[in-house]
Amino acid sequence: MAYTDIDNPTDFFRIKLYNGNNNPQNIAWDETDTNMAPDWLWIKSRTGNTVFSHVLGDSVRGGGKYLVSDTTAAEVSNNNVIKTFNTNGFSVGGATFVSEGSRTYVAWGWKETATAGFDIVSYTGNATGGRTIAHSLSAVPKMMIVKNRDAAIKWAVYHASNTAAPGTDHLKLNANDATADDDSTWNDTVPTSSVFSVGGSTSTNGDGTAYIAYLFADVKGYSNFGIYTGNGSASDGPVAHLGFRPAFLIIKNNSHADDWRLFDDKRSTTGPSNPIDKHIYAHTSGAEAASSTNGVPDGVDFLSNGFKIRQATNGLNRDGGTYIYMAWAASPFVNSNGIPTTAF
């Protein structure tokens, strides 16, 4: 029996905490066993009197270009932000977004391969409904994030567990809105193992417009994209079984207007250990926040086989609310040799 398709998740996904210094700098991952050249890079300032937008870059568009998840802004060209994608990390310029002195940053990096269920697709729109775009996952995407590079247009997010009709519905990465019903975004068609569909919406297929799309599939022991229902309990919240201990987790209430929350196993008040109380909002430029109840840290527990919600707030555990999640592994629950992982 195969417990996992990937024994070493850090071959494909890594997290780095680093300090700004007002200068360009090369940032290397902490892991030393292997190298990992990122193809998708997401950087966010964590602290400071003034906080800055998220910075998202990829190797397809190359260094010197970035987008921000918390606004609808078009792609920005600036060689002083993300400069290069390196063999075992990346380099940044001295821009405040990525390297201001006395400020801390977090960077999440993914490697693009079919093995890891991740593909980056660049395409030009033609405003034709019913159009299909080829991808290289060789699996059905469970999540897609698409951005119009040329204009101030919303980020469109597809999630297979979003509703009973995911081909019609979408979320906005740049806003906390609940699920919206619009068949012009995905042409009311779910993706296949070779293509995804777009309608005539300017968010996914404007005429002559450049787009970038990030596509993700489930990979046993490495990535999982699912849904849970809130129960309103702070002491015994929902549990999601992933098949791995998560390293990075994104949660969004899709039935109500609540925040996109980003958690990882390197940022917690007591860490790295449970509860994972520190989160960043994907749709705002706000600083990292730590959740607590009566002065006691709470949020999410990262388990050896998934995660458990540890608070009763609407953002994570509204009674009866439905929440989509996106998770990537620190280690599989059981590796290919039958050896189980350890929890925090």
Side-chain angles (χ1 to χ4, degrees):
M1 176 181 180
Y3 295 98
T4 180
D5 291 338
I6 295 177
D7 275 338
N8 299 306
T10 57
D11 288 348
F12 304 97
F13 173 75
R14 293 186 182 182
I15 303 167
K16 176 68 177 183
L17 307 183
Y18 71 94
N19 297 320
N21 63 8
N22 294 322
N23 294 299
Q25 53 177 319
N26 287 311
I27 308 295
W29 306 116
D30 295 327
E31 294 81 2
T32 59
D33 55 335
T34 60
N35 290 337
M36 198 282 278
D39 291 298
W40 188 34
L41 193 61
W42 187 334
I43 301 173
K44 180 65 176 75
S45 57
R46 301 171 60 198
T47 58
N49 294 330
T50 302
V51 289
F52 303 106
S53 288
H54 298 249
V55 172
L56 286 72
D58 58 72
S59 62
V60 172
R61 292 179 294 138
K65 296 181 179 180
Y66 69 92
L67 292 158
V68 296
S69 67
D70 49 284
T71 77
T72 62
E75 178 180 272
V76 179
S77 295
N78 186 336
N79 288 323
N80 207 30
V81 184
I82 297 175
K83 294 177 70 67
T84 60
F85 296 83
N86 300 339
T87 302
N88 193 39
F90 56 96
S91 69
V92 296
T96 54
F97 277 18
V98 291
S99 191
E100 184 174 63
S102 303
R103 190 181 300 275
T104 61
Y105 297 83
V106 58
W108 304 287
W110 290 259
K111 187 173 183 62
E112 177 193 19
T113 73
T115 298
F118 177 41
D119 191 23
I120 303 173
V121 179
S122 176
Y123 66 96
T124 301
N126 63 11
T128 301
R131 181 185 178 190
T132 58
I133 310 293
H135 65 78
S136 302
L137 284 178
S138 298
V140 177
K142 292 298 184 69
M143 186 178 82
M144 303 187 294
I145 303 173
V146 177
K147 181 66 178 77
N148 182 319
R149 298 169 56 187
D150 294 336
I153 301 294
K154 67 188 179 187
W155 289 78
V157 179
Y158 167 92
H159 194 289
S161 299
N162 198 8
T163 66
T168 300
D169 295 345
H170 70 277
L171 290 158
K172 304 172 187 176
L173 187 62
N174 56 280
N176 69 349
D177 299 1
T179 294
D181 184 17
D182 175 11
D183 60 10
S184 70
T185 303
W186 312 119
N187 196 49
D188 199 14
T189 305
V190 298
T192 73
S193 59
S194 59
V195 301
F196 66 97
S197 296
V198 292
S201 170
T202 55
S203 63
T204 56
N205 195 27
D207 190 27
T209 300
Y211 291 87
I212 195 74
Y214 306 108
L215 281 64
F216 302 89
D218 283 342
V219 175
K220 187 183 298 183
Y222 171 75
S223 60
N224 187 264
F225 307 90
I227 193 167
Y228 68 86
T229 300
N231 62 15
S233 172
S235 59
D236 192 21
V239 174
H241 298 284
L242 306 175
F244 54 82
R245 177 166 65 84
F248 185 51
L249 175 66
I250 303 174
I251 295 175
K252 173 70 175 79
N253 186 330
N254 71 331
S255 55
H256 296 82
D258 283 317
D259 302 316
W260 289 92
R261 299 194 182 204
L262 282 58
F263 301 88
D264 64 61
D265 63 0
K266 292 197 174 184
R267 297 177 300 114
S268 69
T269 299
T270 58
S273 64
N274 288 320
I276 308 298
D277 61 326
K278 292 186 178 180
H279 55 271
I280 290 173
Y281 299 123
H283 61 292
T284 80
S285 61
E288 176 182 88
S291 61
S292 64
T293 301
N294 299 322
V296 178
D298 58 19
V300 182
D301 280 353
F302 282 7
L303 311 175
S304 60
N305 193 28
F307 64 89
K308 183 180 180 69
I309 305 300
R310 289 294 189 184
Q311 63 176 228
T313 61
N314 288 343
L316 289 178
N317 195 15
R318 178 194 293 261
D319 190 18
T322 55
Y323 296 80
I324 58 167
Y325 64 80
M326 297 125 264
W328 290 268
S331 57
F333 180 53
V334 179
N335 71 17
S336 60
N337 294 316
I339 300 173
T341 190
T342 57
F344 280 139

